[in-house]
Amino acid sequence: ARVFVEVGPKRALTGFVQDVLGDRDEARWLFTNHPKMGDRGSFNRCLWGLYAAGHGLARDAVENASGGLPPYDALGRIFADAIERGMALLSGPASPTSAPDTAQQAPDPAPARPPATVVVTGAALGLPGAPRLFDDANVARILHGSTLLEAIPGDIRDAMAGMGINRLVKGADGTASFRSIDDPADVIKLAGRAGAFDLAEEFGIRPERVQALNRTTQLAMAAGLDALRDAGLPLVQRYRTTSKGTQLPDGWRLPDALRDDTGIIFASAFPGLDVALKDARRKALQDARTEHLESLRELRSEAMGAGDEARVADLSERIARLTERMEAERFEFDRRYLFQLLSMGHSQFAEEIGARGPNTQINSACASTTQALGLAQDWIRAGRCRRVVIIAADDVTEDGVLEWIGSGFLATGAAATDEAVEDAALPFDRRRHGMLIGMGAAALVVEHEEAAAERGLRPICRVLATATANSAFHGTRLDVDHIAGVMDDLVTAAERRGGIDRAALAPQLVFMSHETYTPARGGSAAAEVHALRRVFGDAADTVVIANTKGFTGHPMGVGVEDVVVVKALETGVVPPVPNFREVDPELGLLNLSKGGEYPVRYALRLGAGFGSQVSMSLLAWIPGTSEARPAPDALGFDTRLDDRRRFEGWLAEVSGDPDPELEVQQHRLRVVDRRMAAAVAASAAPAESAPAGSPVDAPTEAAL
């Protein structure tokens, strides 16, 4: 025996052979299914090794095919030809101005669309404007075009009026002037505001852990758990062994087989802002009260010296009340402050679910989530992991934060101050004059397509191409020509790699815009429409355009639109563009969505952010055996299980339970823990030897 092939798992036996026979030149050792390399990659590597060792083709067949060359030389020519063809595919067709050298150039390979390697298998949303922030009806709510904006409370409007704002006012001719604002009637009056949310009660995160998380991280983690459920990726109960050798439950986490190849990306524009402002406000209040208390004590001393007993009594009573209030509202520095303040949502979520793959946070302002999708695609294609959970959140409309961020947008001249939503939220309309602020949370599960196939799951869509760039142009305005160039490069890359044609793609395409309905000069609408017309030409008129900021307000770094466009592909339902009445002659007639079902099979998403950030993605819907799509209120991974038997087999393998059962508890998809259930049942049943009416012991550590 000279060649040893290990069929797995991993490469333990390969290493054993290498240790024993490593000094023998004639020995070959190969492995076929190492999980980090991937089944296809390691299997193909094994085949190359077998070919190199002279196996797979008879020697005379090789020599006949190669003009009598030895097998190694023939293999080299085959390999070189494969490299040349691959480079030709990546670089695109030859320039029409240069004729090909037909005498030396290999014939073009037969046209074929190589399967994409990266897919989206799950998505989730936390939206403003509903009684509960996280609700399974969120997807249907936003796809059907529900308005989620509401009036800002009067005390927050008063606070903004007292911020000393000098607002930038832009004229129709491009001129600008500043105007001081001190009247609540002149500040922003509408926003997307969060409903009820309790991470501990609703999602089962330990209360003591929640106290170490800022608001943004809490929102992102909740969305991440919902997205795992949507992707059909369950958690299992883990146990820890005590010093006495007994075992105790230690939380719900990913199965061992998924831990090391699951990465996390946290996307947010304003992480930790709530903690910084809240603690700074409380500390400033305590300092002001301390100073006031000293002043009262000095006044009382003066009154005592003057013999003014009535004033002494009055000051003593005021000092007592203030002292009591200071004691009740005493500011104490929280030892968890750094964990609350730092942008750590990626690592904190990874700890919660036990994900040990690559892990990071990104902030490209309002393009953050779209950029995260591109980074996830890069990680998976590079083999760093097999799946990435993207979690995103921002809440700049909560009490204590809105007065600051709202004042910031008001000062730049970008915010609308109307009382009625239909007068303020005007995407693509000629009357657009300022944005509204929102909030939200979003999550995507992005995987290697083979990872989804292993559990019999049909993904929602395929990631055809992504792009991330910076226009190096302006802090708040968009570089129209550069954005068009980035979009053209994105579509060109998809055409080369996916075998699609832009003219045929356009009538089946939904464009999920970033449009913030800010004033026309330098706003999103012109840049987006210009890019669509440059990239698709006359076919741009067939692209259906959607926008959700008219319903939610601007959620900052949260990719609400990234999730909505995935769900639009899954359901075929595209949200309408709200409040549109007047065509902008600068934009021309547009194919704006009126809501309802559209024959969309592709989705183009553009995200843009402060600082010239630009990110885009192009997605393709993956249909099932039937073209019928689920309704927006009937979604879930079970609607996409093409091979239920394979899923059940995969679930048994990763959970270690030969007959696993799934449950959803506190938004989490979990494998029922039979171990705990048996212990609880045993503790509830009367012992055989116990007399009637005797108490039954609770389950012990040993029983678990």
Side-chain angles (χ1 to χ4, degrees):
R2 295 292 181 269
V3 179
F4 299 84
V5 179
E6 178 179 1
V7 297
K10 300 186 178 179
R11 50 174 296 172
L13 299 179
T14 304
F16 173 72
V17 174
Q18 184 177 5
D19 289 342
V20 176
L21 303 177
D23 58 344
R24 302 195 181 188
D25 293 338
E26 70 275 15
R28 297 285 185 273
W29 44 88
L30 307 165
F31 56 87
T32 62
N33 65 349
H34 196 281
K36 289 189 176 180
M37 183 176 292
D39 290 348
R40 287 187 179 180
S42 50
F43 185 74
N44 285 337
R45 183 172 184 246
C46 176
L47 288 181
W48 279 112
L50 290 172
Y51 292 147
H55 298 279
L57 289 174
R59 176 177 294 272
D60 57 350
V62 173
E63 292 180 353
N64 290 337
S66 59
L69 291 173
Y72 286 117
D73 291 344
L75 179 66
R77 291 203 171 185
I78 294 172
F79 184 71
D81 181 60
I83 292 293
E84 289 175 359
R85 293 189 181 204
M87 293 302 294
L89 283 173
L90 289 175
S91 60
S95 170
T97 59
S98 58
D101 185 353
T102 55
Q104 301 193 17
Q105 184 176 352
D108 290 337
R113 183 182 62 81
T117 58
V118 180
V119 295
V120 177
T121 58
L125 281 173
L127 292 177
R132 304 201 71 82
L133 179 58
F134 289 93
D135 187 330
D136 286 347
N138 273 342
V139 170
R141 188 175 286 122
I142 191 68
L143 287 180
H144 290 318
S146 297
T147 296
L148 306 174
L149 296 158
E150 60 188 54
I152 296 173
D155 59 335
I156 298 180
R157 296 192 202 182
D158 292 340
M160 278 190 280
M163 294 289 285
I165 303 170
N166 285 316
R167 185 184 187 189
L168 181 65
V169 180
K170 301 176 181 178
D173 59 353
T175 60
S177 61
F178 289 92
R179 182 165 63 88
S180 296
I181 292 178
D182 56 11
D183 187 339
D186 295 329
V187 303
I188 61 175
K189 304 173 184 66
L190 298 165
R193 303 253 292 163
F197 170 62
D198 188 319
L199 186 64
E201 179 183 341
E202 295 179 64
F203 290 84
I205 307 294
R206 299 188 308 276
E208 61 272 17
R209 179 164 180 76
V210 173
Q211 293 174 4
L213 307 174
N214 61 51
R215 168 96 171 163
T216 306
T217 297
Q218 291 183 38
L219 296 174
M221 289 176 64
L225 291 172
D226 268 347
L228 287 172
R229 171 163 58 108
D230 191 52
L233 291 169
L235 306 178
V236 298
Q237 178 70 269
R238 302 186 66 84
Y239 288 83
R240 62 180 175 85
T241 304
T242 69
S243 58
K244 297 180 180 179
T246 57
Q247 290 192 314
L248 292 176
D250 193 33
W252 294 87
R253 296 186 176 88
L254 290 171
D256 284 340
L258 309 183
R259 296 185 69 189
D260 291 340
D261 56 13
T262 299
I264 308 292
I265 301 175
F266 173 41
S268 178
F270 294 99
L273 188 59
D274 61 310
V275 173
L277 289 175
K278 178 191 69 176
D279 284 3
R281 184 181 295 106
R282 291 178 58 215
K283 180 65 168 63
L285 180 60
Q286 176 168 289
D287 289 346
R289 285 173 172 172
T290 299
E291 185 176 349
H292 183 47
L293 181 62
E294 290 301 317
S295 298
L296 291 176
R297 285 172 175 167
E298 290 177 5
L299 290 173
R300 185 175 63 175
S301 296
E302 293 176 1
M304 291 174 65
D308 189 344
E309 295 182 2
R311 184 159 174 74
V312 169
D314 176 63
L315 290 169
S316 295
E317 183 179 350
R318 292 168 62 185
I319 289 171
R321 287 200 306 267
L322 181 57
T323 302
E324 181 180 357
R325 188 171 184 181
M326 290 177 64
E327 191 61 35
E329 301 175 5
R330 180 180 178 81
F331 171 76
E332 292 183 356
F333 188 81
D334 196 325
R335 60 183 177 80
R336 296 161 297 204
Y337 181 75
L338 292 181
F339 292 97
Q340 296 169 342
L341 183 65
L342 286 170
S343 180
M344 295 181 61
H346 47 301
S347 58
Q348 289 162 330
F349 185 62
E351 182 181 351
E352 182 64 31
I353 67 171
R356 300 191 298 203
N359 189 282
T360 194
Q361 187 263 345
I362 63 172
N363 185 344
S364 56
C366 308
S368 296
T369 307
T370 313
Q371 186 184 82
L373 178 60
L375 180 57
Q377 182 188 44
D378 291 345
W379 279 359
I380 294 170
R381 285 183 169 174
R384 298 188 187 279
C385 55
R386 302 188 77 204
R387 74 189 53 78
V388 178
V389 185
I390 299 170
I391 58 175
D394 268 317
D395 188 358
V396 298
T397 61
E398 70 163 319
D399 295 350
V401 177
L402 177 53
E403 63 193 75
W404 290 91
I405 301 301
S407 296
F409 281 101
L410 193 59
T412 64
T417 59
D418 306 81
E419 293 272 5
V421 173
E422 58 270 21
D423 295 329
L426 305 171
F428 297 103
D429 195 288
R430 184 190 63 81
R431 299 165 297 145
R432 65 192 185 278
H433 55 275
M435 59 173 277
L436 298 177
I437 303 173
M439 59 79 57
L444 294 166
V445 178
V446 187
E447 298 191 74
H448 193 293
E449 61 179 350
E450 291 181 356
E454 286 170 4
R455 59 183 190 278
L457 182 78
R458 170 171 37 87
I460 300 172
C461 56
R462 186 176 288 114
V463 182
L464 295 181
T466 60
T468 294
N470 188 288
S471 299
F473 178 67
H474 191 273
T476 59
R477 294 174 58 188
L478 302 181
D479 185 334
V480 174
D481 290 334
H482 180 249
I483 287 177
V486 172
M487 184 181 292
D488 188 51
D489 290 344
L490 176 85
V491 175
T492 299
E495 287 178 315
R496 288 176 177 171
R497 298 171 184 169
I500 60 175
D501 176 75
R502 65 183 69 194
L505 178 150
Q508 307 173 76
L509 178 68
V510 55
F511 173 66
M512 181 55 71
S513 83
H514 176 79
E515 160 67 335
T516 58
Y517 42 93
T518 48
R521 185 177 177 84
S524 300
E528 295 174 6
V529 172
H530 175 78
L532 287 173
R533 289 190 170 134
R534 172 172 159 183
V535 172
F536 294 100
D538 293 339
D541 292 337
T542 66
V543 175
V544 59
I545 298 175
N547 179 276
T548 59
K549 287 187 174 71
F551 301 118
T552 66
H554 194 327
M556 305 295 117
V558 183
V560 168
E561 295 98 327
D562 296 88
V563 171
V564 170
V565 82
V566 167
K567 291 302 180 181
L569 287 177
E570 184 175 6
T571 63
V573 177
V574 179
V577 173
N579 310 316
F580 183 84
R581 292 207 306 268
E582 298 186 22
V583 174
D584 185 344
E586 295 291 329
L587 304 179
L589 291 175
L590 302 172
N591 186 20
L592 300 179
S593 171
K594 295 178 174 59
E597 295 185 8
Y598 281 84
V600 292
R601 304 177 73 91
Y602 300 92
L604 175 59
R605 160 72 175 138
L606 181 149
F610 275 6
S612 295
Q613 304 285 352
V614 181
S615 292
M616 301 182 197
S617 64
L618 184 60
L619 311 175
W621 173 53
I622 301 177
T625 54
S626 168
E627 289 285 314
R629 308 193 199 194
D633 57 355
L635 300 179
F637 77 94
D638 54 338
T639 66
R640 292 179 273 111
L641 277 183
D642 285 348
D643 190 336
R644 191 168 294 274
R645 178 173 295 181
R646 173 174 288 190
F647 179 77
E648 292 171 352
W650 172 85
L651 189 61
E653 180 181 356
V654 299
S655 68
D657 186 337
D659 188 22
E661 182 181 349
L662 290 176
E663 63 180 0
V664 176
Q665 293 288 335
Q666 295 176 303
H667 289 252
R668 299 175 186 229
L669 181 66
R670 312 188 316 192
V671 177
V672 173
D673 182 23
R674 301 184 189 279
R675 191 173 179 182
M676 174 65 77
V680 173
S683 69
E688 292 183 4
S689 59
S694 62
V696 179
D697 291 336
T700 62
E701 288 185 358
L704 300 180

